[in-house]
Amino acid sequence: MSTPTPTTLRSLYRSLLRELPPRTSRTPSPLATHLRTTFASVPSTTPTSSITRASLSDSQSTSSSMATSSGLDAIGATKTPLQRVQEAQQLAQYLKAQRMYVTLVERYNPGMNMNEEERVRLTARRVGMDLPVDYVKE
C-alpha cells in the first residue's frame, strides 16, 4: 500500500471525528472544523500532507507537533504519506481506547462523582438501612 485511498482517508476522518467529545450546541467544535477544512483542502497528489498535522498537533507536545507540522519526524527525516496516515490511525485508536477507559472507570466506580452525603446514604441502603430524614426548619 503506497498511497492511501480516498475511502481510507474518509474512514480515518470519520473515526477521528467520532472520538471527539460531543457538543451540546449545534455548532461544531473548533477541532472538528479544523479537521474538516484540513481534509477538504488536501490535494489529491498528497492525500495526507496535512491530515496528520491537524490530528497530531492537538495531542502531542509543542516540540514534536512543530516537527510533525513541518513534515519531519523526531530525527528530522521527511515522513511519507503512508507514515502520516499510520500515525493518524494510531491517534484514532488511542483516542478510542481513552474513551473506553473513561467509560469503564465510570461504570465500575459509580460513587466516584457523588458527594459525601449521597455516598453515605447509598452505603446505608446497601446494608438494608435507611437514614433518618434530616430536620429542616422552615
Side-chain angles (χ1 to χ4, degrees):
M1 180 177 166
S2 61
T3 61
T5 63
T7 307
T8 304
L9 295 177
R10 188 178 311 116
S11 173
L12 180 59
Y13 168 71
R14 288 179 180 166
S15 66
L16 287 171
L17 285 182
R18 193 176 304 119
E19 300 308 324
L20 294 178
R23 294 283 293 208
T24 56
S25 65
R26 295 182 74 63
T27 59
S29 69
L31 181 58
T33 306
H34 181 69
L35 278 174
R36 183 178 180 93
T37 58
T38 300
F39 273 86
S41 66
V42 174
S44 61
T45 57
T46 58
T48 59
S49 61
S50 57
I51 294 169
T52 307
R53 271 189 265 150
S55 57
L56 290 179
S57 64
D58 294 325
S59 65
Q60 292 181 338
S61 66
T62 306
S63 62
S64 63
S65 67
M66 289 178 62
T68 304
S69 64
S70 64
L72 301 176
D73 62 5
I75 58 173
T78 304
K79 292 184 179 181
T80 65
L82 181 60
Q83 288 173 330
R84 291 181 179 152
V85 168
Q86 288 173 344
E87 284 179 353
Q89 288 171 340
Q90 288 175 0
L91 177 66
Q93 282 181 322
Y94 172 75
L95 292 174
K96 182 178 180 181
Q98 285 298 111
R99 181 176 48 87
M100 183 59 90
Y101 171 75
V102 169
T103 303
L104 291 173
V105 165
E106 289 173 354
R107 181 184 299 168
Y108 292 108
N109 298 313
M112 189 172 69
N113 295 328
M114 289 184 204
N115 60 13
E116 189 65 28
E117 290 178 16
E118 184 70 13
R119 189 175 298 132
V120 168
R121 186 183 71 79
L122 290 177
T123 302
R125 289 198 52 123
R126 187 177 299 140
V127 296
M129 297 174 49
D130 284 329
L131 290 180
V133 178
D134 292 336
Y135 175 75
V136 179
K137 188 174 182 178
E138 294 179 24

